[in-house]
Amino acid sequence: HNFTANGYLRFLVIVYNAALAPADTKPDLAVQVQIVRDGQPVTTTALRKISVEGLPDLTRIPYAAEISLDGLPVGRYLLQVTVVDRVAKKSASQQNRFAID
């Protein structure tokens, strides 16, 4: 996956089988995104709640985002997306490598 230095990285993740809160039978999920280079984070987002409003299927919850690559030097990077399930008190991460040319 190659991107230009002034471009955007867009991604979509699907959260499967999130625990449902007993009070309202809805999941309570939060996401954090990091861009890492040479083992060091160069961009880290704040933990952000994932909205489930209007979703017909709470067993597959989509989350999409866009990150500006402006200002990042040419090189190889790692995108890490971490989802925290606050009801189950668990987290899961997914990583993907990309390059800026």
Side-chain angles (χ1 to χ4, degrees):
H1 302 91
N2 294 331
F3 298 89
T4 60
N6 60 352
Y8 290 88
L9 185 147
R10 294 177 186 98
F11 64 91
L12 169 72
V13 295
I14 308 292
V15 180
Y16 293 98
N17 302 318
L20 303 179
D24 61 3
T25 65
K26 291 185 180 177
D28 183 5
L29 302 169
V31 63
Q32 184 175 53
V33 179
Q34 282 189 319
I35 295 178
V36 178
R37 182 174 187 192
D38 297 328
Q40 298 297 316
V42 294
T43 301
T44 302
T45 66
L47 204 58
R48 183 174 306 157
K49 185 172 177 65
I50 298 176
S51 174
V52 295
E53 293 304 314
L55 293 178
D57 184 358
L58 295 180
T59 62
R60 289 177 285 227
I61 300 167
Y63 176 78
E66 174 180 272
I67 297 177
S68 172
L69 301 176
D70 192 37
L72 293 180
V74 170
R76 301 179 78 116
Y77 292 88
L78 179 73
L79 171 70
Q80 179 171 301
V81 180
T82 302
V83 175
V84 178
D85 184 332
R86 296 177 186 174
V87 175
K89 296 181 176 30
K90 295 182 180 180
S91 66
S93 295
Q94 184 71 44
Q95 299 177 341
N96 200 0
R97 297 193 183 285
F98 69 96
I100 297 177
D101 296 330

